[in-house]
Amino acid sequence: MENDWGGPFGAVIVRDGEIVARGQNRVLLTGDVTAHAEIEAIRRACGASNPYAPSISKAHRNESTLTLVPKPEGSADVVPERAKMLMGTEIYISGAPCPMCMSAIYWARIDAVHFASDLAATSAIGFDDDFQYQDFTRPYEERRMKIEQFRPDLGAQAYDAWMSKTDRHPY
C-alpha cells in the first residue's frame, strides 16, 4: 500500500501453522483488477505446491494440487473425486473477501477463512463489495448489468467435447 501498489489488503495462506504463501493487493501496480491479495496468495500457494508447473504431466499429478481426492461425505457434488487443490490450508486476510476472492477461495478448497476487517469497515474506506453479494442473489434479468445466454449450441459443443474426453481431470 505504501508503495502505491494497491489498497490496504494482505493475505497469507497457512498449512500446519506454517506460511505457505503471501499476497498483497497489486491492482495499481499491475492494472489487473484481479490482483487482489487473496488471489495473489492463492496463485503463489499453487505455484509452491506444483513443482512441475506450468505443465504438469499425468505422471506428476499425484505430486501437486491436482491429486484427486474423493468428494467429502454428504457432498452433493456429481463428480466422485476432484483435485485436492489447497485442501488442508487456511487463509488469513486483512479484510473480508470480495465475491471474486471468496469464489477463488471456494475453488481452491481452502479449509477456513479468517479476516480482520468486515465488509462494513471495508466499505467505509471506499471498497464496497456488499452490492455484489446482494446482486448475485437476484435473477439475471434483475441484475445491475445485462446478463443473458446466447448461442447455447456453441457451449454444447465444448461441453460435449469435455464429456467425450476419456482422460478428463476434474478440478
Side-chain angles (χ1 to χ4, degrees):
M1 176 188 72
E2 291 174 356
N3 292 329
D4 292 327
W5 289 2
F9 305 107
V12 294
I13 296 177
V14 175
R15 176 180 279 122
D16 299 325
E18 298 291 323
I19 294 175
V20 175
R22 294 169 167 41
Q24 64 191 52
N25 186 292
R26 296 163 37 104
V27 170
L28 296 177
L29 176 68
T30 63
D32 177 352
V33 298
T34 68
H36 290 197
E38 299 92 325
I39 303 297
E40 295 285 309
I42 289 169
R43 288 175 180 155
R44 286 185 176 92
C46 290
S49 301
N50 295 306
Y52 301 101
S55 177
I56 299 174
S57 70
K58 292 175 187 172
H60 292 113
R61 283 187 181 159
N62 287 334
E63 302 169 38
S64 74
T65 60
L66 298 177
T67 302
L68 292 174
V69 296
K71 70 180 178 181
E73 190 169 325
S75 170
D77 195 341
V78 298
V79 180
E81 57 185 8
R82 290 196 183 272
K84 73 175 182 174
M85 305 312 279
L86 296 175
M87 286 178 173
T89 65
E90 298 184 5
I91 188 167
Y92 292 81
I93 315 163
S94 58
C98 74
M100 173 187 69
C101 292
M102 195 67 235
S103 293
I105 290 165
Y106 277 118
W107 279 109
R109 294 185 185 72
I110 293 173
D111 293 353
V113 177
H114 310 276
F115 61 88
S117 298
D118 64 14
L119 289 174
T122 304
S123 178
I125 65 165
F127 296 90
D128 189 2
D129 299 320
D130 191 49
F131 80 91
Q132 294 173 17
Y133 279 110
Q134 292 175 20
D135 207 43
F136 291 151
T137 66
R138 296 183 177 107
Y140 289 144
E141 62 275 4
E142 295 176 18
R143 301 264 181 109
R144 292 173 60 133
M145 70 170 59
K146 182 179 181 177
I147 301 175
E148 66 179 356
Q149 182 180 21
F150 89 110
R151 297 292 308 268
D153 57 309
L154 293 178
Q157 290 175 22
Y159 282 24
D160 290 346
W162 172 256
M163 291 306 292
S164 296
K165 189 173 168 45
T166 58
D167 62 346
R168 65 182 178 270
H169 192 91
Y171 58 91

